[in-house]
């Protein structure tokens, strides 16, 4: 049954929320394990840092922060959620880690979690639902109105490749090096309503567009829109959905600082948008970021020209310095700048560990340690 879009809930501008989809792995061989329902059923957690809930398969768990005005609050929630989840996992003989894909699991062994929504997705999309055992970070930024959310959804569109490259952590699929930096988004792209928001003037036109999709039988609810960036009316936010789940919560916080600083900059400068022209190159640019990371070449339709993604990212981080300072998140943004300068990424870390060990089981084992912030693999310099 089709569901109407909820009324857009006004929220404080620049308020933040983060969701992380995490991997549940066996401590025996570090393959994915079917433990989510039992884990949550036995969990004693009071919700002080946000929510811990099921995702589509039993090998996934999702954590979501409380709404926070500052990145430091998001970081504190993520640390609290990590501790609660890691402690409960240890009691259940499970480990937890980040990363956009599990490097060697078999999708045929996945089991769909109980729930009407998950059951509907499975029966509608078939095996794609099990192949959707991939792991992303979603970043919500508060908007004052539906019109502002639609404008922001389109204003953020050209920056999608930067978020992909900075978060890329999924080079391995089915035990093989894909040669991609982010292979996760290939699974998302298989869904018929993935991609970008079309050129829309305002919230009323978005409602008209979505009603048309419903009348054609294409979409039932707004959850069927697997757009890279989409409005979230019940939260009063715009949601950035292209990031792989990082290997550390510190990097997740740094990506959140980028989102908040960028939205602040866009609201402050109100650049003229040419959404239709950018849509012509959006799929190509997304592929470049997924495949090559910062070595990708981004097509600028306003040139027209091609520009190295590494150059665009450096220019953006430099442009956002004052915005980040005003928001109190400069230190977080500097972490991304340092990782770009040192060519340090989660995807390259995973490849280096595979080269060192010669097997992916030990790569996942080290990834669980990295997520717990054990040893020397911490995202160096993260604010405390």
């Amino acid at each position: 049954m089709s569901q109407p879009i909820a009324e857009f809930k006004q929220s404080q501008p620049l308020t933040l929320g983060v969701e992380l989809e995490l991997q549940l792995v066996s401590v025996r061989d570090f393959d994915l394990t079917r433990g989510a329902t039992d884990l949550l059923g036995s969990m004693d957690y009071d919700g002080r840092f946000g929510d811990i809930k099921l995702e589509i398969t039993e090998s996934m768990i999702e954590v979501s922060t409380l709404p926070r005005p500052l990145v430091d609050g998001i970081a504190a929630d993520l640390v609290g959620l990590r501790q609660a989840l890691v402690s409960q996992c240890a009691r259940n003989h499970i480990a937890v880690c980040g990363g956009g894909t599990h490097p060697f699991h078999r999708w045929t062994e996945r089991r769909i979690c109980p729930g009407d929504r998950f059951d509907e997705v499975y029966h509608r999309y078939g095996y794609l639902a099990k192949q959707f055992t991939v792991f992303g970070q979603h970043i919500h930024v508060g908007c004052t109105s539906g019109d502002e959310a639609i404008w922001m959804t389109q204003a953020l569109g050209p920056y999608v490749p930067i978020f992909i490259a900075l978060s890329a952590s999924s080079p391995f699929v089915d035990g093989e090096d894909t040669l991609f930096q982010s292979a996760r988004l290939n699974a998302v792209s298989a869904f018929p309503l993935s991609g970008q928001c079309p050129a829309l003037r305002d919230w009323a036109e978005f409602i008209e567009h979505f009603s048309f999709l419903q009348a054609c039988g294409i979409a039932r609810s707004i959850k069927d829109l697997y757009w890279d960036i989409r409005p979230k009316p019940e939260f009063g936010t715009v949601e950035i959905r292209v990031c792989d789940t990082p290997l550390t919560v510190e990097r997740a916080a740094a990506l959140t600082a980028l989102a908040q600083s960028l939205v602040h900059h866009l609201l402050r400068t109100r650049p003229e948008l040419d959404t239709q022209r950018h849509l012509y190159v959006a799929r190509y640019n997304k592929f470049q970021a997924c495949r090559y990371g910062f070595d990708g070449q981004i097509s600028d339709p306003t040139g027209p020209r091609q520009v190295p993604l590494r150059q665009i990212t450096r220019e953006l981080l430099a442009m956002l310095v004052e915005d980040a300072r005003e928001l109190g998140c400069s230190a977080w943004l500097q972490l991304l700048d340092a990782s770009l300068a040192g060519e340090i990424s989660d995807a390259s870390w995973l490849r280096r560990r595979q080269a060192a060990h010669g097997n992916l089981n030990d790569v996942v084992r080290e990834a669980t340690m990295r997520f717990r912030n054990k040893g020397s693999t911490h995202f160096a310099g993260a604010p405390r």
Side-chain angles (χ1 to χ4, degrees):
M1 179 180 295
S2 295
Q3 300 176 11
I5 293 181
E7 183 178 350
F8 193 89
K9 179 182 178 182
Q10 180 180 357
S11 62
Q12 289 296 318
L14 302 172
T15 301
L16 299 168
V18 168
E19 299 159 347
L20 292 182
E21 297 160 343
L22 298 166
Q23 306 180 31
L24 299 179
V25 300
S26 164
V27 295
R28 178 178 59 84
D29 60 3
F30 294 95
D31 196 356
L32 288 179
T33 188
R34 305 172 181 175
T37 300
D38 291 342
L39 181 73
L40 281 187
S42 61
M43 192 159 192
D44 181 18
Y45 167 65
D46 61 8
R48 71 179 66 183
F49 303 111
D51 202 7
I52 302 175
K53 56 189 175 182
L54 298 175
E55 245 300 333
I56 189 164
T57 72
E58 285 278 6
S59 302
M60 308 173 70
I61 207 81
E62 181 181 278
V63 300
S64 54
T65 70
L66 297 170
R68 299 292 188 187
L70 300 175
V71 177
D72 284 353
I74 292 293
D77 278 352
L78 289 174
V79 170
L81 287 164
R82 176 182 62 187
Q83 184 55 46
L85 187 57
V86 166
S87 298
Q88 184 64 29
C89 283
R91 288 192 286 270
N92 288 54
H93 307 290
I94 294 173
V96 60
C97 66
T101 58
H102 185 276
F104 61 88
H105 88 102
R106 295 175 59 86
W107 67 265
T108 53
E109 296 174 357
R110 302 286 62 84
R111 183 172 61 196
I112 302 296
C113 279
D116 291 343
R117 169 63 183 170
F118 300 142
D119 188 61
E120 177 191 342
V121 170
Y122 180 55
H123 283 92
R124 189 174 193 190
Y125 295 111
Y127 84 110
L128 292 179
K130 292 188 177 183
Q131 287 201 328
F132 205 43
T133 306
V134 290
F135 308 85
Q137 173 180 357
H138 297 172
I139 305 170
H140 292 263
V141 185
C143 298
T144 59
S145 69
D147 288 348
E148 183 178 282
I150 292 301
W151 186 87
M152 188 57 64
T153 295
Q154 295 173 105
L156 287 168
Y159 300 95
V160 160
I162 293 175
F163 282 96
I164 292 173
L166 283 170
S167 67
S169 62
S170 51
F172 298 107
V173 174
D174 294 336
E176 299 291 335
D177 190 328
T178 64
L179 302 184
F180 277 67
Q181 307 304 306
S182 173
R184 162 186 163 267
L185 287 169
N186 294 329
V188 181
S189 296
F191 286 79
L193 292 178
S194 63
Q196 293 76 39
C197 172
L200 300 171
R201 290 188 304 272
D202 51 28
W203 185 252
E205 191 170 14
F206 169 71
I207 295 293
E208 182 181 344
H209 171 76
F210 185 75
S211 297
F212 172 76
L213 295 180
Q214 286 186 314
C216 291
I218 296 172
R220 298 174 185 174
S221 78
I222 196 171
K223 291 184 178 180
D224 292 323
L225 301 181
Y226 290 91
W227 291 349
D228 296 337
I229 304 170
R230 74 179 183 193
K232 191 74 169 177
E234 62 267 40
F235 291 170
T237 64
V238 63
E239 179 185 14
I240 301 169
R241 300 167 50 83
V242 294
C243 295
D244 285 358
T245 296
L247 298 178
T248 65
V249 298
E250 289 80 14
R251 193 173 190 96
L255 290 165
T256 307
L258 174 62
Q260 189 183 43
S261 300
L262 177 55
V263 170
H264 183 273
H265 176 81
L266 292 170
L267 290 174
R268 179 170 60 81
T269 60
R270 291 284 176 175
E272 184 177 348
L273 305 184
D274 192 346
T275 300
Q276 189 58 59
R277 188 178 291 264
H278 278 285
L279 286 174
Y280 294 143
V281 300
R283 286 179 61 85
Y284 176 82
N285 287 344
K286 185 176 175 180
F287 168 80
Q288 285 284 308
C290 289
R291 172 64 178 85
Y292 301 107
F294 292 115
D295 292 327
Q297 296 291 318
I298 298 302
S299 294
D300 176 5
T302 64
R305 58 177 182 155
Q306 278 200 324
V307 187
L309 181 50
R310 181 176 281 105
Q311 175 185 330
I312 293 173
T313 306
R314 284 174 176 154
E315 291 172 354
L316 177 64
L317 292 173
M319 183 176 70
L320 296 179
V321 167
E322 290 303 320
D323 298 277
R325 182 176 295 117
E326 186 172 337
L327 295 167
C329 61
S330 296
W332 292 108
L333 217 60
Q334 288 166 9
L335 295 181
L336 297 179
D337 199 13
S339 70
L340 177 64
E343 300 197 5
I344 302 167
S345 72
D346 284 350
S348 63
W349 183 88
L350 290 164
R351 285 192 168 103
R352 288 197 303 272
R353 302 324 300 153
Q354 194 279 336
H357 292 295
N359 72 83
L360 291 170
N361 305 73
D362 282 326
V363 173
V364 179
R365 177 182 58 78
E366 286 206 32
T368 66
M369 296 174 61
R370 186 177 177 90
F371 182 75
R372 297 198 313 267
N373 193 16
K374 300 292 184 181
S376 59
T377 54
H378 175 61
F379 192 18
R384 299 292 183 175

